[in-house]
Amino acid sequence: MSFGQGGPYGPGGSQPPQQRQSSQTPDWAAMADHTATRGRRRRWLFIGGAVLATAAVGAMVATAVVSSNDKDGSSDDSAKHLPSQPTLPRESESPEPSFSNVAPPAPPKPLDIISDAKRDKAPLSAKTLFPDEEAAKEGRSYAKAATSSTASCAAGTQGSLGSVLSGNGCRKLLRATFSKDGVAVTIGVAVFDGRASAEKAKNGYKPNVASLSGGGVPAFCRQTACRTSANAIGRYAYFTISGYTSGKKVTTSDTQALQAGRDMADYTFRRILARGNAQASAAAGSNG
């Protein structure tokens, strides 16, 4: 087949029928509408997916919050269901000990005891009041020689002392003699019902208690000058007479007889006070 000038599509050449050519032209408007529709669909799908994703995240957060609240709630619920307090044992039906509001009495004072015959009840004799075979004071020791006890107080005195003792209600006169280096001392303890009577006997003192011989000590201070003293404690008035067993006169400047009399007076004071201490201790022990 030969073709004329202009090639197959030039003048005089054969051309496809017009109808065939128009049927193959694209519908650009339709294609544009289709493309726009697809774009809009994709956009809505994207937006919808984002909404769904947001909703899903929100649901997860809500779930977490609910879970957290559930945990707190479970804690509260656990607190509500804590074990109940154990039942304490019932109080004993036996009566509780009671304590008195009254303060216990104060322990008795030794001086109060030995000032009243109603309280001063311990055994009383020359042996109990003078139990020691020796009386010591600052290294000076005196040996006990003799003791005596009489209910007739005047019988153990000489001079005017007997009437003084009897006039104040003396109940008993206890005597003891101690000696050292040729000096002898007799102690006379007059016992009364109360302190006031003993004080009156001491203040009204007139010589003197009679010396007591025996136990190797001869009679002394009967026909010669001697040292005397008087004192009182509680319901007891006590007197001393001291001198030489040789009969030697005691002068005002003599110190040996004076010292012996003072030592024995101090010993007697301590012995009477010890009597009060012993009874006070016994009374305190019985009250406790």
Side-chain angles (χ1 to χ4, degrees):
M1 169 176 152
S2 68
F3 295 92
Q5 293 178 350
Y9 298 106
S14 62
Q15 295 181 2
Q18 185 68 35
Q19 183 178 0
R20 185 186 180 105
Q21 182 176 356
S22 60
S23 62
Q24 293 179 354
T25 300
D27 189 350
W28 298 108
M31 292 179 64
D33 291 340
H34 179 68
T35 300
T37 301
R38 290 181 61 190
R40 285 194 300 270
R41 183 180 300 170
R42 292 181 62 188
R43 186 165 60 253
W44 283 110
L45 289 173
F46 178 78
I47 293 172
V51 171
L52 291 175
T54 301
V57 172
M60 292 176 63
V61 172
T63 302
V65 172
V66 171
S67 299
S68 177
N69 290 337
D70 287 345
K71 291 179 180 179
D72 294 341
S74 63
S75 177
D76 293 341
D77 187 63
S78 298
K80 294 178 181 179
H81 293 84
L82 289 174
S84 60
Q85 293 293 333
T87 302
L88 296 176
R90 296 178 61 184
E91 295 184 0
S92 174
E93 296 181 357
S94 59
E96 295 183 357
S98 60
F99 300 93
S100 174
N101 293 326
V102 180
K109 297 178 180 180
L111 185 58
D112 292 343
I113 292 177
I114 59 175
S115 295
D116 187 355
K118 294 180 180 179
R119 302 180 65 181
D120 188 12
K121 296 293 187 180
L124 180 60
S125 66
K127 290 184 178 180
T128 60
L129 190 60
F130 303 109
D132 304 314
E133 293 302 319
E134 288 188 351
K137 175 70 180 294
E138 297 179 358
R140 298 180 293 274
S141 181
Y142 301 84
K144 184 169 66 175
T147 61
S148 172
S149 177
T150 177
S152 175
C153 298
T157 66
Q158 59 184 8
S160 301
L161 182 58
S163 61
V164 173
L165 299 183
S166 299
N168 286 287
C170 179
R171 301 293 184 181
K172 184 184 297 187
L173 181 64
L174 311 175
R175 288 185 298 167
T177 296
F178 290 81
S179 65
K180 176 183 181 297
D181 298 335
V183 175
V185 182
T186 293
I187 308 157
V189 179
V191 184
F192 300 86
D193 288 339
R195 181 177 181 178
S197 297
E199 289 290 334
K200 287 181 179 180
K202 179 197 75 171
N203 294 334
Y205 169 75
K206 295 178 181 180
N208 49 282
V209 64
S211 63
L212 177 66
S213 59
V217 175
F220 65 100
C221 294
R222 293 298 178 96
Q223 302 294 327
T224 186
C226 290
R227 285 281 187 174
T228 63
S229 69
N231 215 325
I233 176 175
R235 68 187 187 108
Y236 302 89
Y238 55 98
F239 313 93
T240 65
I241 184 168
S242 57
Y244 292 98
T245 57
S246 62
K248 176 184 173 181
K249 179 180 179 181
V250 177
T251 64
T252 55
S253 61
D254 186 278
T255 59
Q256 189 176 0
L258 176 63
Q259 185 65 65
R262 288 177 175 175
D263 288 346
M264 289 298 96
D266 180 71
Y267 170 73
T268 304
F269 172 86
R270 288 185 282 112
R271 287 301 310 149
I272 296 172
L273 187 60
R275 174 181 174 83
N277 287 329
Q279 293 180 88
S281 298
S286 62
N287 290 336

